Amino acid sequence: MTALEAFIEKLDALARDATAAFESATTAEELEQARVEFLGARQGRLKAIQKGMGRLDRSERPAAGKKLNEVKRQIDSAFQAARAALGKEQAGPAVRSPFDPTLPGDRPRLGHVHPITQTIEVLKEIMGRLGFSVAEGPEIEDEWHNFEALNIPAAHPARDPLENFYIDAGPSQRAERCHETADRSQDGDLLSDFYRATAEARAGAPLLLRSQTSTVQIRVMEQTAPPIRIISLGRVYRPDTADATHYPLFHQMEGLLVDRQVTMADLKSVLRMFATSYLGEDVHVRFRPSFFPFTEPSVEADFWWNDEWVEFGGAGMVDPNVLRAVGYDPETVSGFAFGLGVERLCMRRHQITDIREFYRNDVRFLRQF
Ligand code: PHE
């Protein structure tokens, strides 16, 4: 073997070793170590072989130099290939962000408005368009607003303690509350003297959870001179055993219009326009004779809907005794009033068959609306 042949063999062996070392490197550090071992500018094995070139015969040197350059390129490209392969593997996990903004992600579940509240909003909107503004009253009431002023005398069965949630409040608390309401009425409206007088007379009277929103009729008329055009929406309470159509708490919409020369025809038109707006089709209204102490005449209003008459609530012309109780003159003004069950309207519209669903707070039910 000539010296040149031996030189070339050494270079080929080095190329094999280097390629193997680069390919077996599993980390960037290992690869770098291998690079220094073979290609290192001072201590590298290629450099060591190159140094041996000086011992070759002059005539052999061009061929040796050519081979050296070839092998150097070979080892270089083996190194580049190994680095690229390693880079791809490691670049993946090392570069990938733990947060991928292109993934769909979990949507936060938004809460939403309870179906009864939704219904109340719709009712306010419809009645607002008919010119009725919203009035409110307290849920804890005295007997004057819940009964007496509404022409419901002491002996009336509706006042039975078993039919109402009376509140066990001491006499001083009761008096305090009544004076509070009296004070609030002092700021300069026409009826405040009358209101204060009746409030004082009531001090010490028992309190109860209101059993109807008709209380608000009285509160508004006590404080405002006619004409009046209001609705009032809110909770009422009755000690009923809960079943599919009863619940001890429910919501009513009260309507009251007082002006000169108001008639039953006005009542019927308003109810019909209301029902047509709420139910979205031309709805007929039927009146059946009924009785309420605070209206005369009194009716039950039915709506013709889905081929049947559906009962929607009580109504009538405000009884002259009620007008007198709030200091109005029944000879100059008249009015109509109505009271509808909000749950019933909502149930009809959404085909809900059990009133208790509204109050179970089962999100699987509530989420549907
Ligand atoms: N307050 C009555 C009830 O709760 C309904 C009603 C209101 C009737 C207004 C006539 C006028 O049943």
Side-chain angles (χ1 to χ4, degrees):
M1 199 195 290
T2 65
L4 178 63
E5 281 166 352
F7 182 81
I8 288 173
E9 204 163 282
K10 256 198 233 167
L11 281 172
D12 283 336
L14 187 76
R16 281 195 300 275
D17 285 359
T19 307
F22 295 155
E23 280 173 0
S24 66
T26 55
T27 64
E29 293 77 50
E30 278 173 36
L31 185 62
E32 177 60 12
Q33 265 169 25
R35 190 193 66 79
V36 172
E37 181 187 344
F38 292 95
L39 297 170
R42 278 175 296 142
Q43 312 263 311
R45 284 166 65 179
L46 183 67
K47 198 76 191 170
I49 295 173
Q50 190 184 351
K51 278 175 190 159
M53 218 167 75
R55 286 193 294 274
L56 293 177
D57 193 84
R58 260 188 185 281
S59 63
E60 291 173 325
R61 282 187 198 161
K66 198 174 161 226
K67 180 68 182 176
L68 186 88
N69 282 334
E70 248 177 56
V71 167
K72 189 171 185 298
R73 269 198 301 277
Q74 212 181 320
I75 296 177
D76 257 341
S77 64
F79 169 74
Q80 300 296 344
R83 190 167 65 173
L86 205 60
K88 230 179 256 163
E89 251 169 54
Q90 292 198 335
V95 170
R96 191 189 298 152
S97 150
F99 172 68
D100 181 350
T102 64
L103 288 175
D106 300 328
R107 276 177 185 280
R109 190 169 286 142
L110 294 179
H112 72 288
V113 177
H114 191 281
I116 291 298
T117 313
Q118 287 182 33
T119 306
I120 286 174
E121 292 306 315
V122 172
L123 301 184
K124 282 182 184 168
E125 209 269 322
I126 295 172
M127 295 307 292
R129 273 189 269 136
L130 296 176
F132 287 75
S133 54
V134 177
E136 280 184 55
E139 289 178 26
I140 296 179
E141 265 298 4
D142 46 53
E143 292 188 300
W144 167 257
H145 291 99
N146 203 84
F147 300 125
E148 229 122 294
L150 287 164
N151 200 30
I152 305 174
H156 196 281
R159 293 177 66 159
D160 192 319
L162 293 176
E163 300 293 328
N164 295 284
F165 287 112
Y166 279 91
I167 304 257
D168 190 11
S172 61
Q173 264 171 288
R174 290 197 293 258
E176 207 174 283
R177 189 181 164 285
C178 284
H179 284 114
E180 239 171 61
T181 23
D183 287 346
R184 247 185 282 130
S185 73
Q186 279 172 8
D187 334 315
D189 66 66
L190 293 172
L191 295 164
S192 65
D193 282 346
F194 170 82
Y195 181 71
R196 200 160 44 243
T198 55
E200 248 136 48
R202 293 191 306 274
L207 300 175
L208 74 159
L209 296 179
R210 68 179 178 194
S211 62
Q212 51 187 358
T213 45
S214 301
T215 54
V216 185
Q217 290 184 36
I218 304 303
R219 287 191 173 271
V220 169
M221 288 192 285
E222 279 175 336
Q223 307 228 19
T224 327
I228 282 177
R229 196 186 288 204
I230 56 106
I231 52 165
S232 185
L233 289 125
R235 298 188 194 105
V236 299
Y237 302 85
R238 296 178 192 177
D240 287 333
T241 306
D243 62 25
T245 54
H246 295 86
Y247 204 76
L249 167 163
F250 61 101
H251 295 73
Q252 284 187 327
M253 174 170 78
E254 191 82 11
L256 173 70
L257 187 148
V258 182
D259 206 337
R260 289 173 190 276
Q261 295 176 339
V262 180
T263 69
M264 289 287 269
D266 299 318
L267 169 62
K268 201 165 188 178
S269 307
V270 165
L271 287 182
R272 179 156 177 202
M273 280 190 276
F274 161 75
T276 300
S277 296
Y278 182 72
L279 301 173
E281 50 193 89
D282 194 16
V283 176
H284 291 277
V285 173
R286 173 176 81 176
F287 282 167
R288 279 178 293 119
S290 185
F291 176 80
F292 297 101
F294 35 90
T295 47
E296 180 59 35
S298 301
V299 296
E300 289 291 339
D302 301 335
F303 297 152
W304 179 252
W305 192 20
N306 288 344
D307 297 329
E308 57 175 334
W309 285 110
V310 181
E311 208 183 286
F312 266 92
M317 301 306 292
V318 180
D319 194 290
N321 285 343
V322 174
L323 296 174
R324 267 192 288 272
V326 296
Y328 285 8
D329 176 9
E331 299 302 325
T332 52
V333 292
S334 57
F336 67 72
F338 59 86
L340 307 178
V342 175
E343 276 79 355
R344 198 187 282 183
L345 284 170
C346 180
M347 286 166 77
R348 272 280 156 181
R349 176 135 145 190
H350 296 296
Q351 277 122 49
I352 296 164
T353 51
D354 192 328
I355 190 174
R356 289 169 292 194
E357 294 291 1
F358 291 125
Y359 301 106
R360 279 197 184 114
N361 282 336
D362 183 335
V363 287
R364 290 168 302 177
F365 168 79
L366 296 173
R367 205 183 281 151
Q368 302 173 71
F369 305 98

